[in-house]
Amino acid sequence: MAFTAMLRATTLLSLVRMAPALQHGHIASFRHVLGGAHPTVLARHVLLARMMATEPTPGETVSLPGYKTTYTILKAGNPAGPTVTKGSAVTVHATGVVVETGKTFWSTKDPGQQPFSYTAGVGMVITGWDQGLLGMAVGEERMVTIPAAEGYGAGGFPQWGIPAGGTLKFTLEVLSIKSK
């Protein structure tokens, strides 16, 4: 009896962790573990799990749905403030490093540089950065890892020392957000 309860609790915890990625077809696979519950009951469990799912925590690597770009939160931002959404005017500090060489190719923190401002989510920057910044709060820092296809592509950006097919790591820190 205790083992069965523990197994059900573990399954529900798995549902909570997987909730954002669950599809309707996955529900049936949990049916036997949750005591043969009816699919409608299981759907309610999935909905509850999605509602209980928490935001990523610092140090956790997150994959962006539909993209190969990932991010890790280095420092949490202001949870009570606004977050970056498509169309937000944002100002950030950014430091870009080529993974293959370990070389920094750009940093707004370098002497003579200043924070970078742009409109988020509308293609003003490379895809991985554009998508990796969405959801950030003021004060939050993320390490965004961007594969070539969502960065500068097969050609790279030789003028900045980014080789063909280069993977990039950007440390991004949101300084301000103005919603549209």
Side-chain angles (χ1 to χ4, degrees):
M1 183 72 148
F3 176 75
T4 302
M6 184 177 73
L7 184 59
R8 285 183 182 166
T10 302
T11 300
L12 285 174
L13 179 61
S14 295
L15 280 171
V16 169
R17 288 184 177 153
M18 294 170 38
L22 282 176
Q23 302 294 322
H24 182 71
H26 292 107
I27 293 171
S29 66
F30 291 102
R31 189 173 185 183
H32 71 281
V33 178
L34 292 173
H38 188 273
T40 304
V41 173
L42 291 173
R44 281 190 218 133
H45 282 293
V46 171
L47 181 59
L48 179 62
R50 285 184 176 143
M51 290 173 15
M52 292 171 46
T54 59
E55 292 297 312
T57 57
E60 178 182 355
T61 298
V62 177
S63 296
L64 297 173
Y67 297 91
K68 298 203 187 273
T69 295
T70 61
Y71 70 85
T72 303
I73 297 173
L74 303 176
K75 182 178 107 183
N78 178 2
T83 59
V84 177
T85 58
K86 183 177 180 178
S88 296
V90 296
T91 301
V92 299
H93 267 308
T95 300
V97 175
V98 177
V99 171
E100 290 80 4
T101 64
K103 288 184 137 184
T104 299
F105 61 87
W106 178 58
S107 179
T108 60
K109 294 183 176 185
D110 284 347
Q113 294 289 317
Q114 53 188 336
F116 181 74
S117 296
Y118 75 105
T119 302
V122 297
M124 292 181 70
V125 294
I126 58 176
T127 301
W129 173 340
D130 215 12
Q131 297 302 309
L133 196 82
L134 296 177
M136 287 182 74
V138 172
E140 183 175 338
E141 288 184 42
R142 284 184 184 176
M143 173 71 67
V144 181
T145 304
I146 305 169
E150 294 168 8
Y152 290 101
F157 195 153
Q159 300 89 331
W160 281 15
I162 300 170
T167 299
L168 309 175
K169 280 193 184 270
F170 274 97
T171 302
L172 302 171
E173 176 186 5
V174 175
L175 304 174
S176 70
I177 302 169
K178 291 180 187 160
S179 298
K180 59 178 187 172

